[in-house]
Amino acid sequence: MQHDYTNLIELFNCTFLDSYNTELILGGDEPVYLPADDGHRQHRIVFARGYFASALHEISHWCIAGEERRLMEDYGYWYEPDGRNAKRQAEFEVVEIKPQAVEWILSASCGFRFQVSCDNLSGDSDSDWPGFTNKVRNQVIAYLELGMPPRAQVFSDVLRKYYDVPLLQPENFQ
């Protein structure tokens, strides 16, 4: 089955627009989460350039953000763009383990290839890509064994049903 971002928009919005007043929408160059405001009744998860992976990544951040964080632009988190030094890159990777684990699960839920992102191509130090991948995988296994964040579980089930993917097992994440 084709991995078309329009399917993700429809599946996400059918699942969460009414219950969480949150919609997934196509954006431009940069992804962003925007809470409802005077100009927009719904919270908006805006993903970049029609990329399927970008939509899954932004959904993953939303799936783990708590109620208070979902009232803040980009959930109130700092983001330092590509070009981070070693210390800032290490901090970035720590906060990205859980969302990238959810993203990996959602990707597997629809049969889409996942690759972790260190997101620092022009930084002044090399990322430990294998080490980071292992940390994300360990979090995936923990989620599978101990339970996922509830919205991630719901959306994983919706994706698995739509894409006809069987129940996920730890061996699916090598």
Side-chain angles (χ1 to χ4, degrees):
M1 183 175 281
Q2 202 76 327
H3 291 103
D4 185 332
Y5 72 83
T6 59
N7 296 330
L8 282 180
I9 290 173
E10 182 178 345
L11 291 168
F12 183 90
N13 293 347
C14 286
T15 306
F16 296 115
L17 185 56
D18 289 339
S19 56
Y20 285 91
N21 192 39
T22 303
E23 64 180 333
L24 178 66
I25 60 176
L26 171 63
D29 291 340
E30 293 298 324
V32 66
Y33 172 78
L34 301 167
D37 56 28
D38 292 339
H40 298 88
R41 291 183 27 232
Q42 290 84 22
H43 307 296
R44 291 147 291 149
I45 301 170
V46 181
F47 67 99
R49 299 182 184 156
Y51 294 139
F52 196 85
S54 175
L56 290 174
H57 185 77
E58 297 312 311
I59 291 167
S60 298
H61 276 286
W62 179 80
C63 284
I64 64 170
E67 190 172 341
E68 289 182 23
R69 291 252 185 220
R70 292 192 314 271
L71 297 176
M72 295 181 254
E73 184 172 330
D74 267 346
Y75 315 106
Y77 290 118
W78 64 270
Y79 177 75
E80 189 172 316
D82 189 358
R84 293 178 290 275
N85 64 29
K87 179 180 183 292
R88 294 301 273 180
Q89 181 62 23
E91 293 168 353
F92 170 82
E93 289 177 11
V94 166
V95 299
E96 277 291 308
I97 290 170
K98 287 183 178 181
Q100 290 201 32
V102 169
E103 181 185 355
W104 197 347
I105 290 168
L106 296 181
S107 295
S109 297
C110 54
F112 186 74
R113 185 177 178 272
F114 171 81
Q115 183 173 335
V116 298
S117 173
C118 295
D119 192 30
N120 199 29
L121 298 174
S122 63
D124 68 358
S125 68
D126 291 333
S127 295
D128 178 13
W129 188 82
F132 182 55
T133 301
N134 193 49
K135 290 175 186 173
V136 173
R137 182 184 180 281
N138 289 342
Q139 183 62 59
V140 166
I141 303 308
Y143 279 149
L144 293 176
E145 293 176 350
L146 303 173
M148 283 189 270
R151 291 182 310 265
Q153 182 66 64
V154 166
F155 201 52
S156 173
D157 292 344
V158 166
L159 292 172
R160 285 188 316 95
K161 182 177 179 184
Y162 182 81
Y163 287 98
D164 195 28
V165 171
L167 189 63
L168 300 175
Q169 303 295 327
E171 54 270 13
N172 299 123
F173 300 89
Q174 299 302 323

